[in-house]
PDB file of all heavy atoms in Angstrom:
ATOM      1  N   HIS A  25       3.692  27.859  -9.496  1.00  0.00           N
ATOM      2  CA  HIS A  25       4.553  28.330 -10.575  1.00  0.00           C
ATOM      3  C   HIS A  25       5.835  27.511 -10.677  1.00  0.00           C
ATOM      4  O   HIS A  25       6.387  27.040  -9.676  1.00  0.00           O
ATOM      5  CB  HIS A  25       4.912  29.797 -10.325  1.00  0.00           C
ATOM      6  CG  HIS A  25       5.858  30.382 -11.333  1.00  0.00           C
ATOM      7  ND1 HIS A  25       5.453  30.735 -12.594  1.00  0.00           N
ATOM      8  CD2 HIS A  25       7.180  30.664 -11.263  1.00  0.00           C
ATOM      9  CE1 HIS A  25       6.494  31.227 -13.259  1.00  0.00           C
ATOM     10  NE2 HIS A  25       7.551  31.194 -12.480  1.00  0.00           N
ATOM     11  N   ALA A  26       6.311  27.346 -11.917  1.00  0.00           N
ATOM     12  CA  ALA A  26       7.650  26.807 -12.217  1.00  0.00           C
ATOM     13  C   ALA A  26       7.919  25.482 -11.500  1.00  0.00           C
ATOM     14  O   ALA A  26       8.960  25.292 -10.867  1.00  0.00           O
ATOM     15  CB  ALA A  26       8.722  27.828 -11.854  1.00  0.00           C
ATOM     16  N   ASN A  27       6.968  24.570 -11.626  1.00  0.00           N
ATOM     17  CA  ASN A  27       7.129  23.232 -11.065  1.00  0.00           C
ATOM     18  C   ASN A  27       7.358  23.238  -9.545  1.00  0.00           C
ATOM     19  O   ASN A  27       7.984  22.312  -9.003  1.00  0.00           O
ATOM     20  CB  ASN A  27       8.283  22.488 -11.753  1.00  0.00           C
ATOM     21  CG  ASN A  27       7.996  22.235 -13.214  1.00  0.00           C
ATOM     22  OD1 ASN A  27       6.880  21.861 -13.568  1.00  0.00           O
ATOM     23  ND2 ASN A  27       8.990  22.459 -14.058  1.00  0.00           N
ATOM     24  N   MET A  28       6.847  24.272  -8.855  1.00  0.00           N
ATOM     25  CA  MET A  28       6.990  24.314  -7.394  1.00  0.00           C
ATOM     26  C   MET A  28       6.271  23.147  -6.736  1.00  0.00           C
ATOM     27  O   MET A  28       6.613  22.757  -5.617  1.00  0.00           O
ATOM     28  CB  MET A  28       6.440  25.629  -6.839  1.00  0.00           C
ATOM     29  CG  MET A  28       7.392  26.793  -6.953  1.00  0.00           C
ATOM     30  SD  MET A  28       6.738  28.244  -6.094  1.00  0.00           S
ATOM     31  CE  MET A  28       6.697  27.654  -4.400  1.00  0.00           C
ATOM     32  N   ASP A  29       5.257  22.591  -7.424  1.00  0.00           N
ATOM     33  CA  ASP A  29       4.535  21.477  -6.824  1.00  0.00           C
ATOM     34  C   ASP A  29       5.440  20.285  -6.563  1.00  0.00           C
ATOM     35  O   ASP A  29       5.127  19.442  -5.721  1.00  0.00           O
ATOM     36  CB  ASP A  29       3.353  21.061  -7.712  1.00  0.00           C
ATOM     37  CG  ASP A  29       2.083  21.805  -7.338  1.00  0.00           C
ATOM     38  OD1 ASP A  29       1.748  21.837  -6.139  1.00  0.00           O
ATOM     39  OD2 ASP A  29       1.433  22.361  -8.236  1.00  0.00           O
ATOM     40  N   SER A  30       6.566  20.205  -7.253  1.00  0.00           N
ATOM     41  CA  SER A  30       7.485  19.095  -7.012  1.00  0.00           C
ATOM     42  C   SER A  30       8.069  19.144  -5.601  1.00  0.00           C
ATOM     43  O   SER A  30       8.557  18.141  -5.080  1.00  0.00           O
ATOM     44  CB  SER A  30       8.624  19.106  -8.038  1.00  0.00           C
ATOM     45  OG  SER A  30       9.386  20.303  -7.931  1.00  0.00           O
ATOM     46  N   GLN A  31       8.006  20.316  -4.952  1.00  0.00           N
ATOM     47  CA  GLN A  31       8.470  20.440  -3.572  1.00  0.00           C
ATOM     48  C   GLN A  31       7.480  19.812  -2.592  1.00  0.00           C
ATOM     49  O   GLN A  31       7.853  19.465  -1.471  1.00  0.00           O
ATOM     50  CB  GLN A  31       8.660  21.908  -3.203  1.00  0.00           C
ATOM     51  CG  GLN A  31       9.688  22.655  -4.025  1.00  0.00           C
ATOM     52  CD  GLN A  31       9.778  24.112  -3.624  1.00  0.00           C
ATOM     53  OE1 GLN A  31       9.610  24.465  -2.457  1.00  0.00           O
ATOM     54  NE2 GLN A  31      10.022  24.975  -4.593  1.00  0.00           N
ATOM     55  N   TYR A  32       6.227  19.700  -3.023  1.00  0.00           N
ATOM     56  CA  TYR A  32       5.172  19.274  -2.109  1.00  0.00           C
ATOM     57  C   TYR A  32       4.544  17.936  -2.482  1.00  0.00           C
ATOM     58  O   TYR A  32       4.026  17.232  -1.610  1.00  0.00           O
ATOM     59  CB  TYR A  32       4.075  20.348  -2.050  1.00  0.00           C
ATOM     60  CG  TYR A  32       4.589  21.697  -1.630  1.00  0.00           C
ATOM     61  CD1 TYR A  32       4.799  22.715  -2.561  1.00  0.00           C
ATOM     62  CD2 TYR A  32       4.889  21.960  -0.298  1.00  0.00           C
ATOM     63  CE1 TYR A  32       5.280  23.955  -2.177  1.00  0.00           C
ATOM     64  CE2 TYR A  32       5.369  23.194   0.099  1.00  0.00           C
ATOM     65  CZ  TYR A  32       5.561  24.193  -0.843  1.00  0.00           C
ATOM     66  OH  TYR A  32       6.049  25.419  -0.451  1.00  0.00           O
ATOM     67  N   LEU A  33       4.579  17.572  -3.761  1.00  0.00           N
ATOM     68  CA  LEU A  33       3.930  16.346  -4.208  1.00  0.00           C
ATOM     69  C   LEU A  33       4.945  15.243  -4.434  1.00  0.00           C
ATOM     70  O   LEU A  33       6.017  15.470  -5.012  1.00  0.00           O
ATOM     71  CB  LEU A  33       3.158  16.595  -5.510  1.00  0.00           C
ATOM     72  CG  LEU A  33       2.122  17.728  -5.509  1.00  0.00           C
ATOM     73  CD1 LEU A  33       1.363  17.736  -6.824  1.00  0.00           C
ATOM     74  CD2 LEU A  33       1.167  17.592  -4.325  1.00  0.00           C
ATOM     75  N   ASP A  34       4.605  14.037  -4.006  1.00  0.00           N
ATOM     76  CA  ASP A  34       5.454  12.892  -4.280  1.00  0.00           C
ATOM     77  C   ASP A  34       5.407  12.547  -5.767  1.00  0.00           C
ATOM     78  O   ASP A  34       4.402  12.822  -6.452  1.00  0.00           O
ATOM     79  CB  ASP A  34       4.991  11.687  -3.454  1.00  0.00           C
ATOM     80  CG  ASP A  34       5.412  11.785  -1.995  1.00  0.00           C
ATOM     81  OD1 ASP A  34       6.135  12.748  -1.651  1.00  0.00           O
ATOM     82  OD2 ASP A  34       5.023  10.923  -1.201  1.00  0.00           O
ATOM     83  N   PRO A  35       6.462  11.928  -6.309  1.00  0.00           N
ATOM     84  CA  PRO A  35       6.519  11.615  -7.744  1.00  0.00           C
ATOM     85  C   PRO A  35       5.691  10.379  -8.090  1.00  0.00           C
ATOM     86  O   PRO A  35       6.220   9.292  -8.344  1.00  0.00           O
ATOM     87  CB  PRO A  35       8.017  11.387  -7.985  1.00  0.00           C
ATOM     88  CG  PRO A  35       8.528  10.892  -6.666  1.00  0.00           C
ATOM     89  CD  PRO A  35       7.735  11.616  -5.618  1.00  0.00           C
ATOM     90  N   VAL A  36       4.389  10.549  -8.083  1.00  0.00           N
ATOM     91  CA  VAL A  36       3.462   9.459  -8.409  1.00  0.00           C
ATOM     92  C   VAL A  36       2.579   9.898  -9.569  1.00  0.00           C
ATOM     93  O   VAL A  36       2.443  11.092  -9.858  1.00  0.00           O
ATOM     94  CB  VAL A  36       2.583   9.084  -7.201  1.00  0.00           C
ATOM     95  CG1 VAL A  36       3.432   8.498  -6.086  1.00  0.00           C
ATOM     96  CG2 VAL A  36       1.808  10.295  -6.689  1.00  0.00           C
ATOM     97  N   ALA A  37       1.976   8.921 -10.225  1.00  0.00           N
ATOM     98  CA  ALA A  37       1.075   9.234 -11.336  1.00  0.00           C
ATOM     99  C   ALA A  37      -0.228   9.829 -10.821  1.00  0.00           C
ATOM    100  O   ALA A  37      -0.654   9.580  -9.687  1.00  0.00           O
ATOM    101  CB  ALA A  37       0.787   7.966 -12.141  1.00  0.00           C
ATOM    102  N   ALA A  38      -0.858  10.620 -11.675  1.00  0.00           N
ATOM    103  CA  ALA A  38      -2.150  11.208 -11.313  1.00  0.00           C
ATOM    104  C   ALA A  38      -3.200  10.114 -11.165  1.00  0.00           C
ATOM    105  O   ALA A  38      -3.211   9.132 -11.918  1.00  0.00           O
ATOM    106  CB  ALA A  38      -2.580  12.217 -12.374  1.00  0.00           C
ATOM    107  N   ALA A  39      -4.066  10.280 -10.189  1.00  0.00           N
ATOM    108  CA  ALA A  39      -5.163   9.333  -9.990  1.00  0.00           C
ATOM    109  C   ALA A  39      -6.126   9.398 -11.173  1.00  0.00           C
ATOM    110  O   ALA A  39      -6.104  10.351 -11.966  1.00  0.00           O
ATOM    111  CB  ALA A  39      -5.902   9.654  -8.690  1.00  0.00           C
ATOM    112  N   THR A  40      -6.966   8.387 -11.274  1.00  0.00           N
ATOM    113  CA  THR A  40      -7.988   8.358 -12.324  1.00  0.00           C
ATOM    114  C   THR A  40      -9.367   8.400 -11.670  1.00  0.00           C
ATOM    115  O   THR A  40      -9.757   7.477 -10.968  1.00  0.00           O
ATOM    116  CB  THR A  40      -7.860   7.093 -13.177  1.00  0.00           C
ATOM    117  OG1 THR A  40      -6.547   7.055 -13.768  1.00  0.00           O
ATOM    118  CG2 THR A  40      -8.909   7.084 -14.272  1.00  0.00           C
ATOM    119  N   PHE A  41     -10.068   9.509 -11.870  1.00  0.00           N
ATOM    120  CA  PHE A  41     -11.434   9.660 -11.381  1.00  0.00           C
ATOM    121  C   PHE A  41     -12.385   9.637 -12.574  1.00  0.00           C
ATOM    122  O   PHE A  41     -11.999  10.007 -13.689  1.00  0.00           O
ATOM    123  CB  PHE A  41     -11.620  10.995 -10.638  1.00  0.00           C
ATOM    124  CG  PHE A  41     -11.085  11.019  -9.229  1.00  0.00           C
ATOM    125  CD1 PHE A  41      -9.964  10.287  -8.858  1.00  0.00           C
ATOM    126  CD2 PHE A  41     -11.697  11.794  -8.259  1.00  0.00           C
ATOM    127  CE1 PHE A  41      -9.468  10.324  -7.570  1.00  0.00           C
ATOM    128  CE2 PHE A  41     -11.220  11.847  -6.957  1.00  0.00           C
ATOM    129  CZ  PHE A  41     -10.103  11.108  -6.611  1.00  0.00           C
ATOM    130  N   SER A  42     -13.608   9.227 -12.353  1.00  0.00           N
ATOM    131  CA  SER A  42     -14.601   9.194 -13.428  1.00  0.00           C
ATOM    132  C   SER A  42     -15.044  10.607 -13.806  1.00  0.00           C
ATOM    133  O   SER A  42     -14.803  11.575 -13.064  1.00  0.00           O
ATOM    134  CB  SER A  42     -15.825   8.388 -12.979  1.00  0.00           C
ATOM    135  OG  SER A  42     -16.514   9.082 -11.946  1.00  0.00           O
ATOM    136  N   GLN A  43     -15.716  10.714 -14.945  1.00  0.00           N
ATOM    137  CA  GLN A  43     -16.266  12.002 -15.357  1.00  0.00           C
ATOM    138  C   GLN A  43     -17.305  12.486 -14.352  1.00  0.00           C
ATOM    139  O   GLN A  43     -17.401  13.684 -14.065  1.00  0.00           O
ATOM    140  CB  GLN A  43     -16.903  11.879 -16.748  1.00  0.00           C
ATOM    141  CG  GLN A  43     -17.430  13.199 -17.311  1.00  0.00           C
ATOM    142  CD  GLN A  43     -16.341  14.226 -17.510  1.00  0.00           C
ATOM    143  OE1 GLN A  43     -15.276  13.931 -18.040  1.00  0.00           O
ATOM    144  NE2 GLN A  43     -16.588  15.457 -17.043  1.00  0.00           N
ATOM    145  N   GLU A  44     -18.076  11.549 -13.790  1.00  0.00           N
ATOM    146  CA  GLU A  44     -19.060  11.925 -12.773  1.00  0.00           C
ATOM    147  C   GLU A  44     -18.372  12.544 -11.562  1.00  0.00           C
ATOM    148  O   GLU A  44     -18.830  13.562 -11.023  1.00  0.00           O
ATOM    149  CB  GLU A  44     -19.868  10.700 -12.328  1.00  0.00           C
ATOM    150  CG  GLU A  44     -20.936  10.251 -13.306  1.00  0.00           C
ATOM    151  CD  GLU A  44     -21.694   9.040 -12.764  1.00  0.00           C
ATOM    152  OE1 GLU A  44     -21.069   8.215 -12.053  1.00  0.00           O
ATOM    153  OE2 GLU A  44     -22.894   8.929 -13.068  1.00  0.00           O
ATOM    154  N   ALA A  45     -17.272  11.925 -11.123  1.00  0.00           N
ATOM    155  CA  ALA A  45     -16.538  12.440  -9.970  1.00  0.00           C
ATOM    156  C   ALA A  45     -15.967  13.820 -10.271  1.00  0.00           C
ATOM    157  O   ALA A  45     -16.012  14.725  -9.425  1.00  0.00           O
ATOM    158  CB  ALA A  45     -15.419  11.479  -9.594  1.00  0.00           C
ATOM    159  N   LEU A  46     -15.464  14.002 -11.488  1.00  0.00           N
ATOM    160  CA  LEU A  46     -14.936  15.308 -11.886  1.00  0.00           C
ATOM    161  C   LEU A  46     -16.035  16.362 -11.833  1.00  0.00           C
ATOM    162  O   LEU A  46     -15.836  17.463 -11.301  1.00  0.00           O
ATOM    163  CB  LEU A  46     -14.342  15.222 -13.294  1.00  0.00           C
ATOM    164  CG  LEU A  46     -13.876  16.544 -13.919  1.00  0.00           C
ATOM    165  CD1 LEU A  46     -12.792  17.195 -13.062  1.00  0.00           C
ATOM    166  CD2 LEU A  46     -13.371  16.311 -15.347  1.00  0.00           C
ATOM    167  N   ASP A  47     -17.196  16.036 -12.365  1.00  0.00           N
ATOM    168  CA  ASP A  47     -18.309  16.995 -12.376  1.00  0.00           C
ATOM    169  C   ASP A  47     -18.741  17.353 -10.961  1.00  0.00           C
ATOM    170  O   ASP A  47     -19.018  18.518 -10.657  1.00  0.00           O
ATOM    171  CB  ASP A  47     -19.497  16.422 -13.150  1.00  0.00           C
ATOM    172  CG  ASP A  47     -19.219  16.286 -14.646  1.00  0.00           C
ATOM    173  OD1 ASP A  47     -18.264  16.933 -15.122  1.00  0.00           O
ATOM    174  OD2 ASP A  47     -19.938  15.510 -15.311  1.00  0.00           O
ATOM    175  N   ILE A  48     -18.802  16.343 -10.086  1.00  0.00           N
ATOM    176  CA  ILE A  48     -19.218  16.591  -8.698  1.00  0.00           C
ATOM    177  C   ILE A  48     -18.226  17.503  -7.993  1.00  0.00           C
ATOM    178  O   ILE A  48     -18.605  18.504  -7.359  1.00  0.00           O
ATOM    179  CB  ILE A  48     -19.350  15.255  -7.932  1.00  0.00           C
ATOM    180  CG1 ILE A  48     -20.552  14.469  -8.451  1.00  0.00           C
ATOM    181  CG2 ILE A  48     -19.485  15.507  -6.432  1.00  0.00           C
ATOM    182  CD1 ILE A  48     -20.588  13.031  -7.961  1.00  0.00           C
ATOM    183  N   LEU A  49     -16.927  17.204  -8.082  1.00  0.00           N
ATOM    184  CA  LEU A  49     -15.931  17.983  -7.365  1.00  0.00           C
ATOM    185  C   LEU A  49     -15.733  19.364  -7.978  1.00  0.00           C
ATOM    186  O   LEU A  49     -15.380  20.318  -7.269  1.00  0.00           O
ATOM    187  CB  LEU A  49     -14.613  17.219  -7.307  1.00  0.00           C
ATOM    188  CG  LEU A  49     -14.670  15.956  -6.441  1.00  0.00           C
ATOM    189  CD1 LEU A  49     -13.338  15.207  -6.483  1.00  0.00           C
ATOM    190  CD2 LEU A  49     -15.034  16.296  -4.999  1.00  0.00           C
ATOM    191  N   ARG A  50     -15.985  19.477  -9.272  1.00  0.00           N
ATOM    192  CA  ARG A  50     -15.946  20.814  -9.872  1.00  0.00           C
ATOM    193  C   ARG A  50     -17.107  21.656  -9.338  1.00  0.00           C
ATOM    194  O   ARG A  50     -16.938  22.843  -9.015  1.00  0.00           O
ATOM    195  CB  ARG A  50     -15.996  20.729 -11.396  1.00  0.00           C
ATOM    196  CG  ARG A  50     -15.986  22.112 -12.074  1.00  0.00           C
ATOM    197  CD  ARG A  50     -15.748  21.999 -13.562  1.00  0.00           C
ATOM    198  NE  ARG A  50     -14.346  21.703 -13.851  1.00  0.00           N
ATOM    199  CZ  ARG A  50     -13.923  20.716 -14.630  1.00  0.00           C
ATOM    200  NH1 ARG A  50     -14.800  19.897 -15.203  1.00  0.00           N
ATOM    201  NH2 ARG A  50     -12.648  20.543 -14.850  1.00  0.00           N
ATOM    202  N   HIS A  51     -18.271  21.038  -9.185  1.00  0.00           N
ATOM    203  CA  HIS A  51     -19.441  21.752  -8.683  1.00  0.00           C
ATOM    204  C   HIS A  51     -19.276  22.099  -7.202  1.00  0.00           C
ATOM    205  O   HIS A  51     -19.674  23.191  -6.765  1.00  0.00           O
ATOM    206  CB  HIS A  51     -20.693  20.890  -8.877  1.00  0.00           C
ATOM    207  CG  HIS A  51     -21.934  21.489  -8.314  1.00  0.00           C
ATOM    208  ND1 HIS A  51     -22.458  22.693  -8.756  1.00  0.00           N
ATOM    209  CD2 HIS A  51     -22.768  21.061  -7.334  1.00  0.00           C
ATOM    210  CE1 HIS A  51     -23.554  22.979  -8.082  1.00  0.00           C
ATOM    211  NE2 HIS A  51     -23.758  22.007  -7.207  1.00  0.00           N
ATOM    212  N   ARG A  52     -18.679  21.201  -6.426  1.00  0.00           N
ATOM    213  CA  ARG A  52     -18.520  21.428  -4.989  1.00  0.00           C
ATOM    214  C   ARG A  52     -17.261  22.224  -4.661  1.00  0.00           C
ATOM    215  O   ARG A  52     -17.141  22.749  -3.554  1.00  0.00           O
ATOM    216  CB  ARG A  52     -18.496  20.089  -4.240  1.00  0.00           C
ATOM    217  CG  ARG A  52     -19.791  19.289  -4.385  1.00  0.00           C
ATOM    218  CD  ARG A  52     -20.998  20.086  -3.964  1.00  0.00           C
ATOM    219  NE  ARG A  52     -22.256  19.369  -4.130  1.00  0.00           N
ATOM    220  CZ  ARG A  52     -23.456  19.920  -3.981  1.00  0.00           C
ATOM    221  NH1 ARG A  52     -23.556  21.208  -3.681  1.00  0.00           N
ATOM    222  NH2 ARG A  52     -24.540  19.207  -4.142  1.00  0.00           N
ATOM    223  N   SER A  53     -16.320  22.326  -5.582  1.00  0.00           N
ATOM    224  CA  SER A  53     -15.115  23.158  -5.474  1.00  0.00           C
ATOM    225  C   SER A  53     -14.125  22.638  -4.422  1.00  0.00           C
ATOM    226  O   SER A  53     -14.350  22.777  -3.217  1.00  0.00           O
ATOM    227  CB  SER A  53     -15.484  24.609  -5.160  1.00  0.00           C
ATOM    228  OG  SER A  53     -14.343  25.439  -5.179  1.00  0.00           O
ATOM    229  N   VAL A  54     -13.027  22.056  -4.880  1.00  0.00           N
ATOM    230  CA  VAL A  54     -11.989  21.533  -3.993  1.00  0.00           C
ATOM    231  C   VAL A  54     -11.208  22.700  -3.393  1.00  0.00           C
ATOM    232  O   VAL A  54     -10.720  23.573  -4.117  1.00  0.00           O
ATOM    233  CB  VAL A  54     -11.033  20.595  -4.754  1.00  0.00           C
ATOM    234  CG1 VAL A  54      -9.892  20.149  -3.838  1.00  0.00           C
ATOM    235  CG2 VAL A  54     -11.791  19.392  -5.289  1.00  0.00           C
TER     236      VAL A  54
END
Side-chain angles (χ1 to χ4, degrees):
H25 177 76
N27 295 318
M28 279 187 64
D29 269 310
S30 62
Q31 299 178 34
Y32 303 103
L33 305 186
D34 283 355
V36 294
T40 301
F41 282 33
S42 68
Q43 184 62 46
E44 284 181 327
L46 174 60
D47 292 342
I48 290 168
L49 292 177
R50 179 168 285 129
H51 176 62
R52 298 305 178 189
S53 186
V54 175

